[in-house]
Amino acid sequence: MGRDKALIRVHERPLLLHQLTLLKALCAQTYVSAGDGERYRDLTAVAQIADESPGAGPLWALLGALGRLAADGHDRALVLSCDALGVGGALLEALTEAISVGSGEEGADFAYALDAEDRPQPLIACYRVAVEPTLRQLVANGERRLRVLLQGPLRGVAVAPVGLPRPGNANTPAELEAHLTNLVPGGAS
């Protein structure tokens, strides 16, 4: 889009603040993965996590976030990218529930949303923090794509609850504008 999507204003608030509102309703503690770890300090008091390799992409950001959450004693990470659109609390709850059903060998390592075209959205997801060593190994082997998680070695489960709108994301101004024409103030962002 040519600018920081987290700062794009929707209903007079940056997208980042809309996402934090959703997460704060479900999570005991919220964090922002913020590249350098300070990018949004003037916008929010939420703890910010520096990417292990700023600018290297979302896999590095996820790796840094999982490491921090593990250090802080959390067992799961509910992940919501700042450009995720049409996400509501019910979908986030379904993602969390999907990996809570089983544990260890019985359960999934992560649960991810599907968009309207059934495409996986690994940045609208819930991850077990215990997958951090596996991600670290992928990065050590030269992997940079987050979508590789959908091909193994982790067990992922797709979540597309019946009756809920499917999420999407905004990669262009036109996609954002199309979403905004259907957005209800105070509803899902």
Side-chain angles (χ1 to χ4, degrees), residues 146-169:
L146 187 57
R147 291 197 178 271
V148 73
L149 301 179
L150 303 167
Q151 303 159 359
L154 302 175
R155 275 182 311 228
V157 60
V159 173
V162 175
L164 291 180
R166 297 282 188 96
N169 64 11

Side-chain angles (χ1 to χ4, degrees), residues 30-168:
T30 54
Y31 301 82
V32 173
S33 180
D36 64 3
E38 297 185 19
R39 181 180 304 166
Y40 307 113
R41 66 186 155 132
D42 293 337
L43 187 62
T44 180
V46 169
Q48 296 184 46
I49 302 170
D51 293 0
E52 289 203 13
S53 183
L59 184 55
W60 280 98
L62 180 59
L63 184 60
L66 293 176
R68 170 71 180 272
L69 270 68
D72 287 355
H74 300 286
D75 64 343
R76 291 173 292 178
L78 189 55
V79 176
L80 181 60
S81 64
C82 65
D83 64 347
L85 304 172
V87 176
L91 175 59
L92 296 177
E93 287 175 357
L95 290 167
T96 302
E97 191 174 298
I99 68 165
S100 298
V101 172
S103 62
E105 292 300 315
E106 301 169 16
D109 295 313
F110 68 106
Y112 55 91
L114 294 175
D115 69 11
E117 286 79 40
D118 285 331
R119 293 178 301 213
Q121 299 296 312
L123 289 176
I124 305 171
C126 189
Y127 292 85
R128 290 186 189 280
V129 171
V131 305
E132 188 256 350
T134 303
L135 296 185
R136 191 166 297 286
Q137 186 60 50
L138 289 170
V139 168
N141 291 340
E143 188 56 63
R144 299 294 179 259
R145 299 169 301 126
L146 187 57
R147 291 197 178 271
V148 73
L149 301 179
L150 303 167
Q151 303 159 359
L154 302 175
R155 275 182 311 228
V157 60
V159 173
V162 175
L164 291 180
R166 297 282 188 96

